Amino acid sequence: MALDQREDNRASGLGLFCVLSDELICEILELLSAEDIGKLACVSRVFNIFCNEEPLWMKLCMQNLDGLLKYVGSWKGTVLERLGKKNIPKLTNVKLQFSGFSSMYLYRRWYRCNIDLSNFVVNVHMLDRRHDLSMKEFSATYCTKQPLLLSGLADNWPAMHKWSIDYLIKHYGECIFKVAQENGKKVLMNFEDYAFYMSQQHDEEPLYIFDPKFGEVAPGLAEDYEVPWLFREDLFDFMDKTERPPFRWLVIGPPRSGASWHVDPALTSAWNTLIKGRKRWALYPPGRVPPSVIVHADEDDGEVDVDSPTSLQWWLDVYPALRNEDKPLECIQYPGETIYVPSGWWHCVLNLDNSLAVTQNFVNTSNFQLVSLDLCPGYQHKAVARAGRLALQEHISAVSTDAISNAAVMVAKLNFQESESSFDVDFLARLVDHNKIYLVSNSVRSNFHLSQLLRKWLHNLWCFKRDLKDQIWKVSCSFRAKVNAPPPPLSPLPTHTCTPPEKNRGGGGEKKVVDIFVIFVDKKIACIAFNAKGLLQSVISICDAHNLPRPTEQEQLPLGNGSNPVFIVGSHVIKLYLDEAIEDKAIDAVASELQFYSIVKKSGSPLEQTIPRLVASGVVYNKEPYRVVTWDGRGEPNCKIRGKIVSESEDYLRARWNQAVLNSSYLDCHEDDVSAKGNAQCPYIITMKCEGQDFAHMREKLQKDHILYMAQVLGEHLYNLHDLPLPQMSQLDGKEGKHIGSQQNIDMVNNHDVRNHKVPEEWILFYQKLCGQHEHAIDRLEQWGCVPLHLIKQVEGYLTKDPISLVAVNKFHGKLLDLATPVWLHMDINDENLQIVLAQSDESVQQTCSQLDTVHGESSHDLKSCYILDFGDVCLGDPVYDLVSVYLDVFRGNSDIMKHFLKSYYRTFSLKYPEQLRHSKYILKLSYRAMCYTILHEENALGAVFSIWKELKTARTWQEVEQRVWGFLAGYEDLWNQMH
């Protein structure tokens, strides 16, 4: 029967759904549960075809997957087995059909799932192939200019003759690797299961292994290869290993897998060596957006996202329609060959066979300025680096609309010459948003943990890559167009300035890995383009105002891992408060810290001997002539404060706990509140430099008895902190606030099913913090990516509905009647905020530690002192909150050390409930309170939890996590009574 004479069963089979396209029907089905799809498949033969499509069941499986993936031969079978269905019939990848129904959309998708790529050849624009290339020729012809294919670099690798799928099954079959779709989520599979999947799958977007941690999971694999000699200069080697972004990847995938069009993160260069199989590569030069690809540049945080079809779809649907002159550079990569991709080049990869490869992204002298420039805030320079002059034309939609129009205006103002290259450091530097010097907004995404790691990285390079002196200074000055003066001449560096990190081995990335430098941090992030010249001028002005020596050359770059820049100038530490998006809040932060120092001094607390000594404080204007105004935190600084009540009193009105009383939404940060020109003024604090080294660097040098004694000392210090007198809350009158006595009715808890709770003033700031973390708990856990999906779904049911109940000591018919007394909190006691001093000199520390006895007490005198640093986040709240970072970061989850700490802490963390409530349901266990604070912590405390206790990835409930992490606190009250 002719096709046009056949009965059309689509309309009758789909009913009212027949008005929808086949593609839309498939998208709707993806929103249903497996049970509903099973029922819908019984409605008609047409629905039966739609509901048995393997891509649909693959999507269902990946959306709801939690834990290890075990593929059973088909995606429908895999989903049904995970649902516990028994007697599943064997499912095969057959073409579903019956007379009277056809779908071009379903057929094309089926075709892509089953296409044979064995004859997928390259016809035009072949990539250069070279053998025995010299470093001189590579640097002159290819390094920053064009990609090439190299042979002979891996001839001596053990991997070349050892690695195969069977070999990896035999030796690493039980190892668990990260597996991903080309444009999808990452899951975990052991290699034996993944190899079975490779042999059975017929997917359009097959899963493939792309694992940056393979060297830790399977160390033997990392020993089977080495970085090719042409690419061994990597400036990321000057980072501490623990701080370096992922830098090497194991890449294993079946035919049809690969990487869609992308530019490598932060404009890094990359090499990729193929060990087994074949890969087809396509490449376009910087700024030449591939056909069908759309670039989005986010105006708020500078992130650049790319919308691209999969590599297979691009080659099948887009490539054939291109004119020869529009086609990319191409090549087929064979085993033993290494492809080099320079900074900024677009590339797309398709595996033609089962393929095994290793790859690495790197920064060298040639691309250092480009990489550093791409880490600056803003979006225009990033959009132009990827989309070229398309990003400067309003009628082209290569980038988001706002980015195009703003960039076009910028180009008109700067009068760029049309002949000027769009992928040029000086050209791109003029597009950097110089007004966004510091922070963009709270909880903003940062491309490199900029506020912390970039400063430290550049400082290390400043010390040890002296040939990069001029480039580092230019980078540190944010590529400002008017900054052309070179830094002062170098003088000999002291040998103790810093220690060059050990060189790293291994490889990097091939696909669109936007998370290489993307780190989600829930705490306020300073997105610093690191205006070193401006910061240095501010510090010089501060030094002059306080009669301090100016910074030496070695002291001209900020250092440390805090979110605010810190300069060590001789024996003094100058901390600039740039962490806050809103200028006023930076001043509030300084006022809070200054009130803390004032109370420590007035109370005569022994804590004064274990924290940095305050020298001076004030505000410096960030513009010439960099005027400095001294300020002790009381009243208002002698400068214009936008939108604030100016008080004549001498109290600490600007402290955050007072501002939180005035404003129930004090912690909220809106983009409209952020000055487009950046903060005009910057508050600062000067303290004396503490001797010793931070615990993060001393940890490995200390034996257990040293650490036990340090835990004892830290327990005493934390007790002294928590025992400080509370600040007197300001009595506020005015338009924004009024005298409210000891308690305030606040309406900020409406989103937490609480009404008219009376919260004492001293609790309000802490309560606001908890409410904010509670409201966004699921979003934060999803962003961190370390919490299993099933636990994320349970988190709202586990957390108390109202965070104030964590400190409530009395309840009656749901009304809060009484709260515990708050204490001073550090909020972030980590191993970098503890300064350890040994009785011996630093040079003898390692020798001394090796000779120590292991019995506590015999060597405790070797630990001279322990300082607590950085009170920039100081707050009033529940002392249990401080336990989270102490236990998980400082002691790394060691409960024995934590118990030693608790012995010297002369307060109880338990709430003192009335006798009649001692055994009621309202009583909250200490372990539960600690677990709630772990979830609600501003830092990613759960990342530490699931890193320390990896078995908790399979925990079924939060109660299991609580018991494993904080279970040692059971019976704490009885233990505390015995000790004290």
Side-chain angles (χ1 to χ4, degrees):
M1 183 185 296
L3 182 62
D4 56 0
Q5 295 178 330
R6 292 177 183 174
E7 180 184 0
D8 182 6
N9 290 318
R10 187 181 190 278
S12 60
L14 292 177
L16 295 177
F17 284 90
C18 70
V19 299
L20 305 178
S21 67
D22 293 350
E23 181 178 4
L24 184 55
I25 290 174
C26 290
E27 292 179 1
I28 292 173
L29 292 179
E30 292 174 1
L31 303 176
L32 303 181
S33 66
E35 291 82 356
D36 290 337
I37 290 175
K39 295 174 183 177
L40 192 60
C42 301
V43 170
S44 68
R45 289 184 293 177
V46 177
F47 267 120
N48 185 268
I49 289 177
F50 278 102
C51 293
N52 280 284
E53 283 281 296
E54 274 289 273
L56 169 63
W57 288 94
M58 182 182 191
K59 181 79 71 172
L60 287 175
C61 185
M62 298 298 288
Q63 285 176 344
N64 300 290
L65 185 65
D66 195 14
L68 289 177
L69 170 63
K70 185 176 179 63
Y71 183 77
V72 300
S74 72
W75 286 110
K76 182 176 182 180
T78 302
V79 172
L80 295 178
E81 182 163 292
R82 293 185 69 86
L83 291 174
K85 306 298 182 182
K86 305 297 183 182
N87 302 318
I88 303 172
K90 184 176 180 181
L91 302 166
T92 58
N93 189 57
V94 298
K95 182 166 60 175
L96 299 170
Q97 60 181 352
F98 77 96
S99 178
F101 174 73
S102 63
S103 169
M104 182 56 67
Y105 173 77
L106 295 183
Y107 172 75
R108 287 175 64 84
R109 188 162 72 174
W110 179 88
Y111 175 79
R112 290 194 296 266
C113 290
N114 293 273
I115 186 173
D116 181 7
L117 301 179
S118 59
N119 295 317
F120 220 55
V121 297
V122 175
N123 298 315
V124 295
H125 303 325
M126 293 290 289
L127 203 64
D128 283 0
R129 264 187 164 86
R130 296 297 303 272
H131 184 79
D132 292 335
L133 187 69
S134 69
M135 177 63 78
K136 182 178 180 180
E137 185 178 359
F138 171 74
S139 300
T141 307
Y142 298 101
C143 188
T144 59
K145 297 179 178 64
Q146 61 177 309
L148 81 157
L149 204 56
L150 295 153
S151 60
L153 295 182
D155 289 350
N156 297 323
W157 287 8
M160 291 306 302
H161 60 82
K162 289 168 60 175
W163 289 13
S164 67
I165 299 298
D166 290 339
Y167 172 85
L168 296 179
I169 292 175
K170 179 179 179 180
H171 294 276
Y172 303 101
E174 297 302 315
C175 292
I176 297 173
F177 295 100
K178 286 186 179 179
V179 179
Q181 276 183 294
E182 190 168 324
N183 292 315
K185 64 179 288 187
K186 294 180 175 64
V187 298
L188 298 176
M189 294 182 75
N190 71 43
F191 188 79
E192 186 173 10
D193 288 339
Y194 178 74
F196 174 75
Y197 164 79
M198 289 180 69
S199 67
Q200 300 293 312
Q201 64 82 30
H202 283 276
D203 296 329
E204 178 184 354
E205 297 180 60
L207 300 177
Y208 70 105
I209 290 178
F210 193 81
D211 196 329
K213 298 292 185 181
F214 76 96
E216 290 84 345
V217 172
L221 294 178
E223 297 173 358
D224 285 343
Y225 78 99
E226 62 182 359
V227 177
W229 66 275
L230 283 174
F231 316 119
R232 286 181 183 167
E233 182 194 24
D234 190 351
L235 298 182
F236 278 154
D237 285 340
F238 288 86
M239 279 186 176
D240 289 347
K241 284 184 178 180
T242 57
E243 297 172 343
R244 178 175 179 161
F247 66 99
R248 60 184 180 186
W249 288 263
L250 175 68
V251 187
I252 303 177
R256 299 182 304 282
S257 63
S260 57
W261 283 106
H262 67 283
V263 173
D264 281 339
L267 302 182
T268 52
S269 300
W271 60 266
N272 180 298
T273 300
L274 186 62
I275 296 169
K276 289 289 188 293
R278 295 177 302 149
K279 292 177 181 283
R280 183 170 180 176
W281 289 75
L283 304 99
Y284 281 108
R288 174 99 181 258
V289 180
S292 79
V293 173
I294 299 176
V295 180
H296 299 278
D298 193 303
E299 180 178 354
D300 292 335
D301 57 26
E303 288 298 321
V304 176
D305 295 320
V306 176
D307 286 341
S308 170
T310 67
S311 53
L312 180 63
Q313 287 175 336
W314 191 87
W315 256 295
L316 291 178
D317 299 338
V318 180
Y319 181 85
L322 298 178
R323 299 175 300 175
N324 278 348
E325 58 267 29
D326 294 329
K327 289 182 177 179
L329 285 175
E330 297 183 71
C331 71
I332 301 291
Q333 183 185 18
Y334 294 97
E337 292 185 321
T338 299
I339 189 170
Y340 167 70
V341 182
S343 294
W345 276 73
W346 288 91
H347 50 287
C348 174
V349 190
L350 180 66
N351 289 323
L352 306 182
D353 309 308
N354 286 339
S355 301
L356 283 70
V358 289
T359 183
Q360 177 172 335
N361 286 61
F362 62 94
V363 182
N364 60 15
T365 305
S366 300
N367 66 1
F368 169 67
Q369 291 192 50
L370 283 169
V371 171
S372 301
L373 172 62
D374 205 58
L375 299 176
C376 291
Y379 56 91
Q380 294 167 350
H381 61 292
K382 297 179 183 180
V384 173
R386 290 154 178 81
R389 293 186 177 272
L390 289 176
L392 305 180
Q393 301 175 25
E394 293 186 273
H395 64 281
I396 299 294
S397 59
V399 298
S400 62
T401 305
D402 290 341
I404 298 166
S405 58
N406 289 331
V409 172
M410 177 69 70
V411 169
K413 290 181 178 179
L414 295 178
N415 191 28
F416 288 138
Q417 297 298 317
E418 190 63 32
S419 59
E420 193 171 10
S421 170
S422 63
F423 196 70
D424 173 78
V425 170
D426 293 328
F427 181 95
L428 295 172
R430 281 177 276 176
L431 288 172
V432 172
D433 189 349
H434 300 314
N435 290 325
K436 291 189 175 182
I437 301 176
Y438 306 121
L439 185 70
V440 179
S441 65
N442 282 350
S443 67
V444 72
R445 292 186 299 174
S446 171
N447 259 0
F448 192 37
H449 215 168
L450 283 176
S451 62
Q452 301 178 7
L453 300 186
L454 181 56
R455 287 202 308 270
K456 189 171 183 179
W457 179 47
L458 292 180
H459 186 270
N460 286 349
L461 290 174
W462 181 263
C463 294
F464 294 102
K465 287 292 291 183
R466 303 176 72 178
D467 55 316
L468 285 178
K469 171 175 62 75
D470 292 340
Q471 290 190 50
I472 295 170
W473 186 255
K474 185 177 181 181
V475 167
S476 301
C477 292
S478 302
F479 294 87
R480 274 160 162 65
K482 295 182 180 180
V483 178
N484 296 315
L490 282 169
S491 56
L493 292 174
T495 57
H496 64 274
T497 303
C498 54
T499 304
E502 181 182 344
K503 294 287 183 180
N504 292 304
R505 293 165 53 94
E510 160 191 44
K511 71 179 284 288
K512 182 176 73 174
V513 195
V514 295
D515 61 332
I516 287 184
F517 300 120
V518 179
I519 303 178
F520 294 94
V521 182
D522 221 56
K523 192 180 176 183
K524 300 175 290 293
I525 291 181
C527 190
I528 296 179
F530 192 172
N531 172 23
K533 184 175 184 293
L535 294 179
L536 177 59
Q537 187 57 57
S538 296
V539 170
I540 290 174
S541 299
I542 292 170
C543 290
D544 291 347
H546 295 283
N547 296 317
L548 299 178
R550 290 188 173 190
T552 65
E553 188 222 347
Q554 291 80 32
E555 298 168 341
Q556 290 177 358
L557 291 183
L559 66 153
N561 285 348
S563 50
N564 290 309
V566 174
F567 287 79
I568 303 254
V569 182
S571 59
H572 295 84
V573 177
I574 301 176
K575 180 179 178 182
L576 305 178
Y577 282 72
L578 303 173
D579 184 30
E580 300 289 349
I582 302 174
E583 191 172 275
D584 291 350
K585 289 189 176 180
I587 293 175
D588 297 346
V590 171
S592 305
E593 188 166 352
L594 290 174
Q595 186 172 22
F596 164 75
Y597 275 109
S598 174
I599 288 179
V600 170
K601 186 175 183 63
K602 288 180 180 179
S603 66
S605 169
L607 185 68
E608 187 174 11
Q609 306 303 317
T610 60
I611 64 176
R613 181 167 67 84
L614 180 66
V615 175
S617 57
V619 177
V620 58
Y621 287 87
N622 289 324
K623 306 294 183 183
E624 295 183 3
Y626 292 93
R627 184 165 59 93
V628 175
V629 177
T630 59
W631 183 52
D632 64 0
R634 292 180 292 181
E636 293 282 356
N638 183 25
C639 49
K640 181 180 178 182
I641 305 297
R642 300 188 306 273
K644 288 290 178 180
I645 304 172
V646 178
S647 172
E648 298 296 334
S649 68
E650 288 299 308
D651 63 4
Y652 291 88
L653 171 68
R654 297 302 302 270
R656 286 181 294 211
W657 32 87
N658 288 324
Q659 293 298 317
V661 172
L662 282 172
N663 181 4
S664 63
S665 59
Y666 172 69
L667 294 181
D668 294 343
C669 179
H670 304 288
E671 200 66 34
D672 294 340
D673 299 328
V674 182
S675 172
K677 297 182 179 180
N679 290 3
Q681 53 196 5
C682 169
Y684 64 88
I685 282 180
I686 305 175
T687 60
M688 294 300 297
K689 178 183 175 183
C690 296
E691 57 181 332
Q693 286 185 293
D694 62 70
F695 183 56
H697 289 88
M698 292 287 288
R699 185 192 298 272
E700 302 303 324
K701 300 177 181 179
L702 301 177
Q703 289 193 345
K704 185 176 181 180
D705 57 335
H706 262 144
I707 296 177
L708 288 175
Y709 182 67
M710 190 273 290
Q712 175 186 328
V713 173
L714 182 58
E716 296 172 357
H717 292 352
L718 196 62
Y719 164 75
N720 292 330
L721 171 64
H722 292 172
D723 198 48
L724 283 175
L726 293 178
Q728 182 179 358
M729 303 298 292
S730 298
Q731 304 302 305
L732 304 168
D733 291 285
K735 294 180 180 179
E736 294 187 38
K738 59 183 179 179
H739 181 78
I740 46 183
S742 62
Q743 294 194 340
Q744 176 192 34
N745 291 328
I746 62 174
D747 192 40
M748 57 167 286
V749 294
N750 290 343
N751 293 331
H752 302 279
D753 298 323
V754 181
R755 298 292 188 274
N756 298 321
H757 279 183
K758 292 185 176 181
V759 178
E761 290 179 2
E762 58 269 20
W763 277 107
I764 289 177
L765 177 62
F766 186 70
Y767 185 40
Q768 286 186 11
K769 287 178 179 286
L770 293 185
C771 287
Q773 307 289 17
H774 189 287
E775 182 178 355
H776 302 290
I778 291 179
D779 292 339
R780 295 168 68 238
L781 267 56
E782 288 177 344
Q783 284 184 352
W784 288 337
C786 60
V787 182
L789 178 62
H790 66 281
L791 290 179
I792 295 178
K793 294 178 179 178
Q794 298 175 30
V795 71
E796 288 186 336
Y798 175 80
L799 292 171
T800 175
K801 289 185 178 180
D802 181 11
I804 203 65
S805 64
L806 294 172
V807 293
V809 296
N810 201 349
K811 287 191 174 185
F812 182 72
H813 298 305
K815 296 291 185 179
L816 298 182
L817 300 179
D818 196 8
L819 301 183
T821 302
V823 302
W824 286 92
L825 299 181
H826 183 283
M827 299 294 285
D828 188 24
I829 299 179
N830 57 51
D831 57 4
E832 292 179 340
N833 286 333
L834 296 177
Q835 197 85 345
I836 303 299
V837 184
L838 297 184
Q840 286 77 16
S841 63
D842 290 343
E843 289 77 13
S844 63
V845 166
Q846 194 165 4
Q847 179 180 358
T848 300
C849 291
S850 66
Q851 297 172 350
L852 291 175
D853 296 326
T854 58
V855 180
H856 174 62
E858 295 184 12
S859 61
S860 61
H861 63 277
D862 293 321
L863 190 95
K864 181 180 177 182
S865 58
C866 172
Y867 294 95
I868 302 179
L869 311 179
D870 191 4
F871 288 86
D873 294 321
V874 69
C875 185
L876 308 177
D878 188 350
V880 179
Y881 190 94
D882 267 347
L883 286 186
V884 175
S885 56
V886 170
Y887 179 45
L888 297 178
D889 188 282
V890 179
F891 301 145
R892 293 185 175 175
N894 189 313
S895 58
D896 292 334
I897 300 177
M898 190 66 181
K899 289 176 183 177
H900 214 76
F901 162 88
L902 294 173
K903 288 180 182 180
S904 59
Y905 182 87
Y906 299 105
R907 294 173 61 103
T908 177
F909 289 98
S910 299
L911 297 175
K912 296 181 180 179
Y913 293 97
E915 186 63 34
Q916 65 270 24
L917 290 181
R918 289 289 174 88
H919 303 289
S920 74
K921 64 180 181 180
Y922 293 117
I923 298 296
L924 298 181
K925 296 186 299 182
L926 179 57
S927 60
Y928 173 75
R929 292 167 58 211
M931 192 67 231
C932 285
Y933 288 134
T934 304
I935 297 171
L936 297 174
H937 205 279
E938 282 192 308
E939 302 293 344
N940 181 9
L942 290 174
V945 167
F946 291 103
S947 175
I948 296 169
W949 296 279
K950 292 181 172 58
E951 69 275 12
L952 289 179
K953 287 281 188 179
T954 58
R956 293 171 297 177
T957 65
W958 283 107
Q959 285 78 7
E960 290 182 33
V961 179
E962 173 193 331
Q963 178 60 34
R964 183 69 181 90
V965 178
W966 295 102
F968 71 94
L969 292 177
Y972 166 77
E973 186 69 32
D974 294 336
L975 177 64
W976 189 87
N977 288 331
Q978 292 175 10
M979 292 188 298
H980 305 288

